[in-house]
Amino acid sequence: MNNSVKRTVLVIEDNEINRGILCALLEDQYNILEAENGKVGLNLFQTHLRKISAILLDLQMPVMNGYEFLESVQDDPLMSTVPIIVITANNTIEEEERCLALGASDFITKPYNKGVVLHRISSIIKLRESVSTISAIEYDVTTGIYTRQAFIHHATQILTDHPDQQYDLLIAELVKSEDALGRYDQAAVKKMIKPAAQKVREMLREDSIGGRYSEIRLVCLFRSVPNGTPPEVVLRNDEGLVVTAKYGIVQNVPHDIPVMTLCDHALTAIQSIQHQYGHYYAYYDKQLQQNERYHNAIEQNMANAIRKQQFKVYYQPKHDIKTGKLVGAEALIRWIHPELGFISPADFIPVFEQTGFVAESDFYVWQRTCRNQRVWNEMGLPQIPISVNCSQRSFADDNMVSRWLNAKKEIGVPEGSMHIEITESAFIGVVEEMVKKLQQLRENDVQIELDDFGSGYSSLNMLGELPIDVAKLDMGFVNQIESPKKQKVIAACVNLIHNLNYKIVVEGVETEQQIQIAKNLGIDYGQGFYYSKPLPEEEFENYLKS
Amino acid sequence: MTLQECYCRIQGDYADALKRLMRDQLIERFVLNFPKDQSMQQLRDATAAGIQNDAFRATHTLKGVAKNLSLTKLADSASELAEQLRDGTQMPDPILLAEVEKDYKLVIDTLAVYVEEKE
């Protein structure tokens, strides 16, 4: 430790004699701040945060005891970096464990021993200073503004200290412009973030603060300005490099919500305009709030949805385009929640995918469909294959193949009755492994349908390598059938796929005209409202009978 | 009477205090402040008012101060009482409390003599 600077230690102990002794032991080597309870200590800590190198904390105190003090400090990104040494009289294991869980660094026991006390403090300060210095935690090196931790600490402080003042929180996310460097490498980020941070500094007034939230994001908290002009969208640095930014803004922030959550709200706002060209500002408004709540409700309810049998499996028929004969169906998941009502797949599928829960929901549909196939077979209904969607996340699971095949085997389905549908995006990664998995499935009587064919760019490359049976053309493809030039592209595609011996299904056929075009192109099967909408199990059963 | 003799009379451990605090003046400065410490009075008040938790806290503090000053006899009796009160549901056991009072009185009286002689 650099001995030329006298460090400051905060001593929090209610008993005057004990505190006096402790201070007398320390006074030669340290500057001392004294507090007679946790509350006074916390105030001193906040005021002199930058100065304090360590804290000695008694546990049994009136007004605010040591545990309560630890609790109020542990979640603060800056205060929690200052080591706290707890003074105990009986050092029971339970007591020590509780303190450590609350962030205490070390213990000293009463009665005080000068040598022990001084050594403990000295080594804990040394340790902390060797790991980091407070200034490194506080200011971002590149931009000179607060780091994220420091911003959160100071913003929390401002919101607590000014309960009646209105504040807005803003996050700016830099968007790479056309002439900027190709990707976000360190040099490019530096060039972009610097002028942006400069702008932030210029914008800041009294009790407003700014910080670097992440690589390409800046965050500010400032007093609400009614009808104030929004920040500039285009920034230019010295070299004339143009940087654009997208802003997420939370207006009139609630003072009782953690700053981290407010930042999440601002990010949610940015997220909502992420892929919208020409949109630069988004406010965290009621609509977004509702969306977020809905999203959270989905996340909280999904785990129980299987047990409570809220998922329903619908079946959309596939027909032979030439003969009109029923040749198969696709299983589709639906969620009917007792309170939330019918939840759209467009809402819940992305949440399932993000959380990985999709592996469970996909498997549920698979099991359910296997059972239905068996029952329908036993009823003597016509036997057609049904395809079940297997998302990228499900497919990536190492146990997927064995899990699905085991279920199929246990339930005992008729031969040729199960297909899976995967999308091109499932092939991101090691192609050999994918191929191995697909082969394993095919060897066990599961045909592979490649969904959304033509929506990505990888499949032409891999098409020859993939052991698949059916290619499905997506709606976007079908909808362009009216354009003669695109028809040529599709015709070439159809030939290519047929040459590889795959069948072709076109999804989303709605009109007689589309059917005609598909027929002329030689497409094998069609699926869509022209034939039938997705049907619940009972209705599909009747459909099979007819 | 020297401070060491004073410690002898109240069954304290002067050597231990010196080993820990390292300076004679420091011991004297704080032990002479001991009569001003409020924890014994707080223990009596809590006992009279029937507040178990406060009784424990006061005893706990008294024990801590006595230990810090190496007033061993008092620290021991306070420690025994603190253990009896620890769970916060009981009032002080009269016998243990009397023991603490006796040890406390001995310390206060002896210190008074020491101060008087010194002046």
Side-chain angles (χ1 to χ4, degrees), chain A residues 225-285:
Chain A
V225 191
N227 309 317
T229 47
E232 282 173 64
V233 172
V234 179
L235 308 164
R236 214 171 275 277
N237 74 356
D238 302 341
E239 299 162 40
L241 182 79
V242 175
V243 175
T244 51
K246 292 202 178 207
Y247 296 91
I249 302 159
V250 188
Q251 286 179 301
N252 193 9
V253 300
H255 288 237
D256 54 349
I257 289 184
V259 174
M260 272 302 277
T261 310
L262 296 173
C263 291
D264 286 344
H265 290 341
L267 291 176
T268 304
I270 294 178
Q271 188 75 41
S272 71
I273 50 166
Q274 197 90 60
H275 303 295
Q276 295 181 25
Y277 183 79
H279 286 77
Y280 296 104
Y281 306 101
Y283 293 91
Y284 185 73
D285 56 13

Side-chain angles (χ1 to χ4, degrees), chain A residues 98-164:
Chain A
R98 194 173 158 201
C99 292
L100 289 172
L102 289 170
S105 306
D106 203 353
F107 300 91
I108 53 174
T109 46
K110 286 175 194 163
Y112 306 135
N113 180 305
K114 186 173 182 178
V116 172
V117 172
L118 289 176
H119 283 306
R120 284 268 155 90
I121 297 176
S122 161
S123 43
I124 212 126
I125 292 178
K126 215 184 282 177
L127 180 67
R128 179 208 188 206
E129 292 184 354
S130 67
V131 173
S132 61
T133 62
I134 187 90
S135 63
I137 300 169
E138 183 139 38
Y139 295 104
D140 176 56
V141 184
T142 310
T143 58
I145 54 178
Y146 284 139
T147 59
R148 168 150 87 173
Q149 296 99 306
F151 173 83
I152 289 165
H153 166 82
H154 291 291
T156 309
Q157 211 55 51
I158 288 176
L159 292 177
T160 318
D161 291 348
H162 306 277
D164 301 322

Side-chain angles (χ1 to χ4, degrees), chain A residues 298-327:
Chain A
I298 288 172
E299 213 173 311
Q300 277 159 21
N301 283 290
M302 65 189 184
N304 283 327
I306 291 182
R307 196 171 46 80
K308 293 183 177 166
Q309 305 197 325
Q310 291 165 357
F311 291 128
K312 305 287 168 209
V313 183
Y314 280 47
Y315 296 97
Q316 187 168 37
K318 297 170 188 168
H319 286 259
D320 187 305
I321 287 193
K322 283 195 205 92
T323 65
K325 208 181 137 217
L326 176 67
V327 290

Side-chain angles (χ1 to χ4, degrees), chain A residues 232-443:
Chain A
E232 282 173 64
V233 172
V234 179
L235 308 164
R236 214 171 275 277
N237 74 356
D238 302 341
E239 299 162 40
L241 182 79
V242 175
V243 175
T244 51
K246 292 202 178 207
Y247 296 91
I249 302 159
V250 188
Q251 286 179 301
N252 193 9
V253 300
H255 288 237
D256 54 349
I257 289 184
V259 174
M260 272 302 277
T261 310
L262 296 173
C263 291
D264 286 344
H265 290 341
L267 291 176
T268 304
I270 294 178
Q271 188 75 41
S272 71
I273 50 166
Q274 197 90 60
H275 303 295
Q276 295 181 25
Y277 183 79
H279 286 77
Y280 296 104
Y281 306 101
Y283 293 91
Y284 185 73
D285 56 13
K286 279 223 167 72
Q287 184 62 46
L288 275 182
Q289 197 176 346
Q290 273 169 8
N291 290 351
E292 205 171 25
R293 286 210 183 125
Y294 197 50
H295 179 115
N296 289 341
I298 288 172
E299 213 173 311
Q300 277 159 21
N301 283 290
M302 65 189 184
N304 283 327
I306 291 182
R307 196 171 46 80
K308 293 183 177 166
Q309 305 197 325
Q310 291 165 357
F311 291 128
K312 305 287 168 209
V313 183
Y314 280 47
Y315 296 97
Q316 187 168 37
K318 297 170 188 168
H319 286 259
D320 187 305
I321 287 193
K322 283 195 205 92
T323 65
K325 208 181 137 217
L326 176 67
V327 290
E330 177 182 1
L332 296 159
I333 188 166
R334 296 288 181 260
W335 186 1
I336 298 151
H337 190 273
E339 283 131 45
L340 300 169
F342 182 89
I343 306 174
S344 164
D347 288 330
F348 71 78
I349 295 289
V351 182
F352 286 12
E353 280 176 350
Q354 273 167 34
T355 54
F357 181 72
V358 72
E360 298 310 311
S361 59
D362 282 353
F363 183 62
Y364 174 80
V365 175
W366 175 259
Q367 279 179 304
R368 180 92 199 163
T369 302
C370 285
R371 274 195 213 105
N372 283 336
Q373 284 288 52
R374 190 186 139 173
V375 171
W376 290 330
N377 180 257
E378 284 166 358
M379 286 166 72
L381 294 175
Q383 186 64 58
I384 55 160
I386 297 180
S387 56
V388 172
N389 286 284
C390 179
S391 75
Q392 185 190 340
R393 280 291 282 268
S394 308
F395 195 67
D397 184 355
D398 288 341
N399 299 319
M400 179 259 156
V401 171
S402 57
R403 194 180 180 204
W404 287 41
L405 288 177
N406 284 341
K408 180 170 89 79
K409 200 173 151 198
E410 268 170 37
I411 293 165
V413 299
E415 207 176 308
S417 62
M418 299 302 293
H419 290 186
I420 70 162
E421 284 192 26
I422 50 172
T423 59
E424 291 176 28
S425 57
F427 298 108
I428 298 166
V430 188
V431 178
E432 295 88 63
E433 273 177 31
M434 312 279 172
V435 170
K436 224 171 105 189
K437 279 186 179 176
L438 294 177
Q439 272 165 349
Q440 229 181 318
L441 285 163
R442 291 179 85 213
E443 281 160 15

Side-chain angles (χ1 to χ4, degrees), chain A residues 15 18 20 90 111-112 114, chain B residues 20 30 37 65 67-68 86:
Chain A
N15 184 275
N18 284 340
N90 8 269
Y112 306 135
K114 186 173 182 178
Chain B
R20 288 185 299 100
F30 285 106
D37 185 73
V65 176
K67 270 191 168 178
N68 260 333
R86 178 168 293 281

Side-chain angles (χ1 to χ4, degrees), chain A residues 1 7-12 26 30-33 45 48-57 69 79 81-85 105 117 120-126 128-129:
Chain A
M1 201 184 335
R7 306 289 194 280
T8 300
V9 173
L10 170 61
V11 175
I12 310 173
L26 301 177
Y30 296 99
N31 295 320
I32 297 160
L33 291 166
F45 191 15
H48 302 284
L49 173 64
R50 219 89 66 247
K51 282 204 323 216
I52 294 171
S53 293
I55 296 174
L56 293 178
L57 176 71
F69 180 88
M79 292 204 280
T81 65
V82 178
I84 300 175
I85 301 172
S105 306
V117 172
R120 284 268 155 90
I121 297 176
S122 161
S123 43
I124 212 126
I125 292 178
K126 215 184 282 177
R128 179 208 188 206
E129 292 184 354

